[in-house]
mmCIF file of all heavy atoms in Angstrom:
data_model
loop_
_atom_site.group_PDB
_atom_site.id
_atom_site.type_symbol
_atom_site.label_atom_id
_atom_site.label_comp_id
_atom_site.label_asym_id
_atom_site.label_seq_id
_atom_site.Cartn_x
_atom_site.Cartn_y
_atom_site.Cartn_z
ATOM 1 N N HIS I 80 3.293 -66.355 -133.830
ATOM 2 C CA HIS I 80 4.459 -65.579 -134.087
ATOM 3 C C HIS I 80 4.629 -64.427 -133.147
ATOM 4 O O HIS I 80 4.990 -63.299 -133.356
ATOM 5 C CB HIS I 80 4.445 -64.961 -135.522
ATOM 6 C CG HIS I 80 4.603 -65.901 -136.582
ATOM 7 N ND1 HIS I 80 5.619 -66.831 -136.752
ATOM 8 C CD2 HIS I 80 3.768 -66.235 -137.653
ATOM 9 C CE1 HIS I 80 5.539 -67.631 -137.758
ATOM 10 N NE2 HIS I 80 4.359 -67.233 -138.308
ATOM 11 N N GLN I 81 4.464 -64.840 -131.778
ATOM 12 C CA GLN I 81 4.513 -63.828 -130.766
ATOM 13 C C GLN I 81 5.844 -63.173 -130.598
ATOM 14 O O GLN I 81 6.002 -61.993 -130.278
ATOM 15 C CB GLN I 81 4.152 -64.499 -129.376
ATOM 16 C CG GLN I 81 4.115 -63.507 -128.201
ATOM 17 C CD GLN I 81 3.724 -64.269 -126.854
ATOM 18 O OE1 GLN I 81 3.702 -65.458 -126.814
ATOM 19 N NE2 GLN I 81 3.725 -63.544 -125.826
ATOM 20 N N GLY I 82 6.835 -64.003 -130.897
ATOM 21 C CA GLY I 82 8.207 -63.432 -130.874
ATOM 22 C C GLY I 82 8.422 -62.157 -131.806
ATOM 23 O O GLY I 82 9.363 -61.389 -131.551
ATOM 24 N N LEU I 83 7.625 -62.045 -132.784
ATOM 25 C CA LEU I 83 7.809 -60.880 -133.708
ATOM 26 C C LEU I 83 7.170 -59.617 -133.058
ATOM 27 O O LEU I 83 7.466 -58.554 -133.610
ATOM 28 C CB LEU I 83 7.066 -61.207 -134.974
ATOM 29 C CG LEU I 83 7.674 -62.358 -135.865
ATOM 30 C CD1 LEU I 83 6.720 -62.540 -137.085
ATOM 31 C CD2 LEU I 83 9.068 -62.190 -136.103
ATOM 32 N N ARG I 84 6.369 -59.730 -132.071
ATOM 33 C CA ARG I 84 5.692 -58.572 -131.495
ATOM 34 C C ARG I 84 6.302 -58.115 -130.276
ATOM 35 O O ARG I 84 6.056 -57.007 -129.767
ATOM 36 C CB ARG I 84 4.232 -58.887 -131.354
ATOM 37 C CG ARG I 84 3.441 -59.094 -132.568
ATOM 38 C CD ARG I 84 1.968 -59.239 -132.401
ATOM 39 N NE ARG I 84 1.641 -60.480 -131.529
ATOM 40 C CZ ARG I 84 1.560 -61.694 -131.974
ATOM 41 N NH1 ARG I 84 1.651 -61.936 -133.327
ATOM 42 N NH2 ARG I 84 1.251 -62.699 -131.190
ATOM 43 N N ILE I 85 7.124 -58.965 -129.604
ATOM 44 C CA ILE I 85 7.639 -58.577 -128.284
ATOM 45 C C ILE I 85 9.090 -58.101 -128.469
ATOM 46 O O ILE I 85 9.664 -57.574 -127.435
ATOM 47 C CB ILE I 85 7.706 -59.782 -127.248
ATOM 48 C CG1 ILE I 85 8.466 -60.972 -127.764
ATOM 49 C CG2 ILE I 85 6.197 -60.223 -127.016
ATOM 50 C CD1 ILE I 85 8.466 -62.130 -126.812
ATOM 51 N N ASP I 86 9.686 -58.138 -129.536
ATOM 52 C CA ASP I 86 11.098 -57.666 -129.856
ATOM 53 C C ASP I 86 10.934 -56.482 -130.813
ATOM 54 O O ASP I 86 10.326 -56.531 -131.898
ATOM 55 C CB ASP I 86 11.937 -58.775 -130.516
ATOM 56 C CG ASP I 86 13.376 -58.324 -130.794
ATOM 57 O OD1 ASP I 86 13.512 -57.635 -131.851
ATOM 58 O OD2 ASP I 86 14.190 -58.603 -130.093
ATOM 59 N N PHE I 87 11.512 -55.373 -130.438
ATOM 60 C CA PHE I 87 11.371 -54.074 -131.149
ATOM 61 C C PHE I 87 11.833 -54.173 -132.618
ATOM 62 O O PHE I 87 11.091 -53.901 -133.483
ATOM 63 C CB PHE I 87 12.107 -53.025 -130.495
ATOM 64 C CG PHE I 87 12.006 -51.561 -131.265
ATOM 65 C CD1 PHE I 87 10.949 -50.799 -131.158
ATOM 66 C CD2 PHE I 87 13.053 -51.219 -132.059
ATOM 67 C CE1 PHE I 87 10.890 -49.618 -131.858
ATOM 68 C CE2 PHE I 87 13.008 -50.080 -132.870
ATOM 69 C CZ PHE I 87 11.946 -49.304 -132.686
ATOM 70 N N ASP I 88 13.023 -54.746 -132.790
ATOM 71 C CA ASP I 88 13.618 -54.793 -134.219
ATOM 72 C C ASP I 88 12.832 -55.813 -135.007
ATOM 73 O O ASP I 88 12.562 -55.506 -136.169
ATOM 74 C CB ASP I 88 15.044 -55.182 -134.047
ATOM 75 C CG ASP I 88 15.924 -54.066 -133.727
ATOM 76 O OD1 ASP I 88 15.728 -52.939 -134.219
ATOM 77 O OD2 ASP I 88 16.849 -54.285 -132.831
ATOM 78 N N LYS I 89 12.383 -56.957 -134.448
ATOM 79 C CA LYS I 89 11.685 -57.880 -135.161
ATOM 80 C C LYS I 89 10.238 -57.357 -135.566
ATOM 81 O O LYS I 89 9.764 -57.550 -136.652
ATOM 82 C CB LYS I 89 11.540 -59.183 -134.387
ATOM 83 C CG LYS I 89 12.847 -59.967 -134.234
ATOM 84 C CD LYS I 89 12.742 -61.229 -133.529
ATOM 85 C CE LYS I 89 14.033 -61.908 -133.413
ATOM 86 N NZ LYS I 89 13.979 -63.244 -132.684
ATOM 87 N N ALA I 90 9.573 -56.707 -134.591
ATOM 88 C CA ALA I 90 8.318 -56.059 -134.896
ATOM 89 C C ALA I 90 8.504 -54.944 -136.042
ATOM 90 O O ALA I 90 7.586 -54.869 -136.904
ATOM 91 C CB ALA I 90 7.725 -55.426 -133.625
ATOM 92 N N THR I 91 9.503 -54.184 -135.962
ATOM 93 C CA THR I 91 9.747 -53.103 -136.945
ATOM 94 C C THR I 91 9.904 -53.724 -138.365
ATOM 95 O O THR I 91 9.330 -53.224 -139.286
ATOM 96 C CB THR I 91 10.932 -52.254 -136.513
ATOM 97 O OG1 THR I 91 10.727 -51.692 -135.267
ATOM 98 C CG2 THR I 91 11.110 -51.089 -137.512
ATOM 99 N N ALA I 92 10.816 -54.674 -138.382
ATOM 100 C CA ALA I 92 11.013 -55.385 -139.680
ATOM 101 C C ALA I 92 9.835 -56.052 -140.221
ATOM 102 O O ALA I 92 9.565 -55.967 -141.387
ATOM 103 C CB ALA I 92 12.225 -56.386 -139.482
#
Side-chain angles (χ1 to χ4, degrees):
H80 291 303
Q81 183 181 6
L83 299 179
R84 297 186 295 276
I85 61 177
D86 179 279
F87 176 82
D88 285 314
K89 291 180 180 180
T91 302

